[in-house]
Amino acid sequence: MTEHTIEKPRVCVLGLGDMGAAFARAWRAAGHPVTVWNRTAARAEPLAAEGADVAATAADAVAASDLVVTVLWDDASVGAVLSDADLTGKDLVNVTTSTPEEARARAEWASTRGARFVSGGIMAVPTMVAAPEAGGYVFYSGSADAFARHERTLSVPLTTRFVGEDAGHAALHDVALLSAMSGMFAGAAHGLALVRDADVDLARFGALLSDFLAAMASAVPDTARRLESGDYTTGVASNLAMQVRGNATLLRTAEERGVSTELLRPYTRLMELRLARGGAEEDGTGVVDLLSEVPR
């Protein structure tokens, strides 16, 4: 028998927003039978026309497949949608955006309902689904056995990256990367604000900025290694004392240009605090320690 003659497992998809619909279409295109459900039934009509089976209720959809994939609004929606479903013996894969603690609590909830649980953090937008060249992927964590059973199926929409049996780790990786992205874009916004009213070719500057940020990002693995080793001073090219002095120029320039310093101030204050605590010969790794001291 060839791969094309082997019947592929059915997938149940709950939630047909842009991402859920993209996942369902990817599985249909790959030859998987798909059962779908959405609170607003009209959203299921295009998929029905493409060959998906539409369930009248979420519970009916769950009953149709051992693999249940939830792509809903938030964690509370997952509990509400599955409240009447029989999850006994099911593998619940939740790629709804959530926090690590929400994912861990949902894993315990699923276990009490008789299901194995896998949490997912999607590192892609809908247009990247089923487009391997776009580079999108999904972090998964939770039941290693459930993931192993369905890894081939889960890899159809987007590449998979299993990051451990702690159900919260997929969300943690997801949020950590997105948080870093947010900081990067904050810096880019500040840089663009500095030059936008000057006699500067913004398109050319944007390309320079992109290249510069990519080059600076190459230092991140070294920071991670320093955190693991605890050595913040060996081989430092630009120490914290030098960086803090340089920050004064960044702030004065912003003031001269009439640009707010609110995106720079939090980070520069942390650097100053680390310096005051004796970190003059370190690089900037010690700022991570300060962030971890924030009361939780």
Side-chain angles (χ1 to χ4, degrees):
M1 296 178 71
T2 68
E3 180 181 353
H4 296 290
T5 62
I6 298 173
E7 185 176 353
K8 296 182 179 180
R10 178 175 290 275
V11 185
C12 161
V13 181
L14 304 179
L16 298 175
D18 290 344
M19 188 62 78
F23 270 50
R25 285 194 171 92
W27 279 312
R28 279 294 303 136
H32 288 268
V34 176
T35 299
V36 300
W37 174 88
N38 193 75
R39 189 181 301 278
T40 303
R43 282 187 171 270
E45 292 175 1
L47 285 159
E50 297 168 23
D53 297 312
V54 180
T57 67
D60 290 342
V62 169
S65 174
D66 291 337
L67 174 59
V68 178
V69 180
T70 47
V71 199
L72 298 166
W73 181 254
D74 56 17
D75 177 72
S77 301
V78 177
V81 165
L82 294 174
S83 61
D84 297 328
D86 181 4
L87 296 179
T88 305
K90 305 294 183 180
D91 289 327
L92 175 59
V93 177
N94 180 34
V95 294
T96 303
T97 301
S98 61
T99 70
E101 286 305 316
E102 286 173 338
R104 294 182 183 112
R106 188 58 60 192
E108 293 181 8
W109 173 90
S111 180
T112 65
R113 302 282 298 274
R116 297 187 297 187
F117 183 80
V118 175
S119 179
I122 301 174
M123 304 306 298
V125 295
T127 55
M128 298 169 72
V129 173
E133 68 281 2
Y137 57 90
V138 183
F139 289 120
Y140 287 106
S141 64
S143 170
D145 290 339
F147 176 78
R149 179 186 177 193
H150 302 291
E151 181 176 7
R152 189 169 184 176
T153 300
L154 293 174
S155 68
V156 169
L158 290 164
T159 300
T160 63
R161 299 190 183 191
F162 189 73
V163 290
E165 295 190 73
D166 182 330
H169 275 188
L172 182 60
H173 280 69
D174 177 18
V175 171
L177 291 186
L178 292 176
S179 297
M181 178 192 72
S182 180
M184 178 194 71
F185 281 127
H190 183 87
L192 288 166
L194 286 175
V195 302
R196 68 173 300 180
D197 292 328
D199 185 18
V200 172
D201 183 322
L202 288 178
R204 182 175 297 175
F205 180 81
L208 287 171
L209 179 57
S210 176
D211 290 345
F212 181 75
L213 290 176
M216 293 300 99
S218 66
V220 173
D222 183 59
T223 300
R225 286 190 291 269
R226 289 184 183 279
L227 286 170
E228 286 188 331
S229 70
D231 181 356
Y232 298 176
T233 59
T234 300
V236 171
S238 176
N239 65 39
L240 193 61
M242 184 185 303
Q243 292 183 53
V244 169
R245 286 197 301 272
N247 286 344
T249 301
L250 306 187
L251 297 173
R252 288 201 309 274
T253 300
E255 291 167 357
E256 288 177 3
R257 300 289 302 154
V259 171
S260 171
T261 60
E262 63 181 317
L263 293 177
L264 295 184
R265 286 286 183 187
Y267 189 54
T268 58
R269 285 170 182 153
L270 285 170
M271 295 172 76
E272 290 165 1
L273 176 58
R274 186 71 184 185
L275 178 63
R277 292 186 181 184
E281 298 307 314
E282 299 175 357
D283 62 353
T285 304
V287 168
V288 180
D289 291 343
L290 295 179
L291 291 173
S292 300
E293 293 177 3
V294 176
R296 302 180 225 195

